[in-house]
Amino acid sequence: MSGNPSRLDEFGLIRRHFAPLAAGQAGAFGLTDDGALIEIGDGERLVVTADTMVAGVHFPVDDPPDQIARKLLRVNLSDLAAMGAEPRNYTLSVVLPPEIDDTWLAAFAAGLATDQKLYGIGLIGGDTVSTTGPLTFSLTAFGTLAGKATLRRNAAVVDDDIYVSGTIGDASLGLAIIQARFDAASDDDRDFLITRFRLPEPRLSLGQSLIGVARAAADVSDGLVADLGHICRASSCSAAIRLNLVPLSGPAERAVTDRQSLHHSLLTGGDDYELVFTAPVAMRGALERISSKCGVSLARIGQCVGAQNETPLVAVLDGAGNRIDLGHGGYRHFKKGQEKGEKGR
Ligand code: ADP
Ligand code: MG
């Protein structure tokens, strides 16, 4: 944050300065979705998404280079997953300070090679420049959609079930361990949580299977409550979820035992890269089948409940149905008090 009190958070900045530039571009969705759509003819459509990672903000400077590379690719793949797209190609821009040497870059490239194979995506271009500032990467991923339908954030309706894939909160605990703010119960738990921070698993097959089944979807990058809030805002509805239905891994369960505020913080911690989505009640059976076909667990955590002017947009309820106050709902760049490096990822 620059210290300029008139500066908005990232979403305010996007709305004010960039969304007007996307006016009239149907596939830009007003810059409110996980990616954009370009019609390329023959019934195929291209999904485009970009994400940038800055050392000291999005990843600790001394993280292993291959894992930084893989995470950079995977966070973009996660946006493709949230749109139901199949990965095709990507471009990569690297901004290198002098201390980044050839050995570092070889390890970085090896990480990309591993995940290119794993996810069936290939590099097609980019840019390489030097800087006296922090190490920075920007990646733009391109995916395709075969049919007419897509997954969007704006189609949730009242009474929809709300689901989340996998488990929530592991990555924020992993980051806390890396930053020595927290320690896990055992070495195995520590390794698991750190790996969940460094190597998210983009839910690509799940996303593709949700087309025509889910109504609205987003990936969880800023935190479950914040990203579900994005769905609610885009869909003009609000949501109620139950804390005890939000799925935790074994290591996360052990971490939050007897630590209520840590448990609450997992719902606003970022970097899960799971999918949060809504679906009509009639789709419960179909979703069970999709879950077993994709090998990804799905938890039904709540419902879309009412008009958008409900406060808060996303209510988190305890076992007795009382609202839990979580404070601010997710990580925001450029928000007062969140200086560069505070997040450390
Ligand atoms: P995500 O967390 O899914 O990657 P972001 O929160 O980074 O999405 O961005 C929200 C939306 O705003 C996306 O549609 C993204 O493409 C768009 N966006 C962000 N920054 C810019 C920018 N500088 N110019 C145009 N669009 C942007
Ligand atoms: Mg996203």
Side-chain angles (χ1 to χ4, degrees), residues 31-345:
L31 307 184
T32 60
D33 222 304
D34 290 295
L37 269 187
I38 304 174
E39 304 280 349
I40 49 173
D42 282 345
E44 266 211 319
R45 287 162 314 149
L46 210 52
V47 174
V48 183
T49 182
D51 263 305
T52 300
M53 288 182 18
V54 180
V57 180
H58 301 91
F59 60 91
V61 186
D62 46 8
D63 262 7
D66 60 320
Q67 296 192 11
I68 295 169
R70 297 175 77 185
K71 180 157 182 175
L72 176 69
L73 189 51
R74 288 171 181 222
V75 300
N76 279 280
L77 290 169
S78 178
D79 278 322
L80 292 186
M83 304 289 290
E86 190 183 331
R88 284 291 166 95
N89 289 107
Y90 68 100
T91 63
L92 172 68
S93 294
V94 298
V95 183
L96 305 174
E99 64 271 19
I100 294 301
D101 60 16
D102 206 55
T103 311
W104 199 99
L105 285 171
F108 182 84
L112 288 175
T114 302
D115 274 2
Q116 284 195 177
K117 255 202 217 111
L118 201 57
Y119 295 108
I121 190 167
L123 183 65
I124 51 166
D127 199 13
T128 303
V129 298
S130 62
T131 183
T132 51
L135 176 63
T136 301
F137 302 102
S138 187
L139 194 147
T140 300
F142 303 86
T144 49
L145 282 169
K148 270 275 159 231
T150 182
L151 272 184
R152 297 280 317 282
R153 289 181 181 176
N154 69 347
V157 301
V158 173
D159 293 336
D160 271 4
D161 288 325
I162 298 169
Y163 292 83
V164 72
S165 64
T167 56
I168 289 297
D170 301 321
S172 63
L173 289 168
L175 174 62
I177 294 169
I178 291 170
Q179 293 179 332
R181 290 186 281 115
F182 171 75
D183 206 1
S186 68
D187 287 351
D188 283 352
D189 283 7
R190 190 177 308 124
D191 290 348
F192 173 88
L193 295 169
I194 290 176
T195 301
R196 289 277 288 158
F197 170 74
R198 287 185 173 152
L199 278 183
E201 289 181 50
R203 301 303 188 185
L204 285 157
S205 62
L206 174 63
Q208 288 158 33
S209 306
L210 289 180
I211 291 186
V213 176
R215 278 214 176 98
D219 69 327
V220 183
S221 54
D222 295 329
L224 176 63
V225 169
D227 288 301
L228 179 54
H230 293 150
I231 289 179
C232 289
R233 208 166 286 109
S235 303
S236 300
C237 68
S238 56
I241 60 172
R242 295 262 175 182
L243 179 69
N244 62 338
L245 298 180
V246 173
L248 300 188
S249 65
E253 284 279 5
R254 286 187 279 282
V256 302
T257 305
D258 300 328
R259 291 189 182 98
Q260 195 182 58
S261 69
L262 186 65
H263 189 181
H264 295 173
S265 75
L266 301 190
L267 276 65
T268 57
D271 278 312
D272 297 304
Y273 297 102
E274 296 293 346
L275 295 184
V276 58
F277 60 93
T278 82
V281 172
M283 291 297 179
R284 287 180 183 180
L287 285 164
E288 271 175 35
R289 289 189 290 279
I290 287 173
S291 168
S292 46
K293 185 191 80 180
C294 298
V296 180
S297 60
L298 295 178
R300 201 165 72 234
I301 59 172
Q303 264 93 33
C304 297
V305 287
Q308 179 173 14
N309 53 12
E310 299 270 324
T311 307
L313 217 46
V314 177
V316 180
L317 308 177
D318 65 18
N322 297 316
R323 230 189 87 201
I324 300 169
D325 185 4
L326 297 175
H328 85 89
Y331 182 74
R332 297 218 167 169
H333 293 272
F334 310 123
K335 199 173 174 190
K336 213 168 181 203
Q338 280 185 325
E339 301 294 336
K340 183 181 150 211
E342 181 182 318
K343 186 172 193 193
R345 69 176 180 97

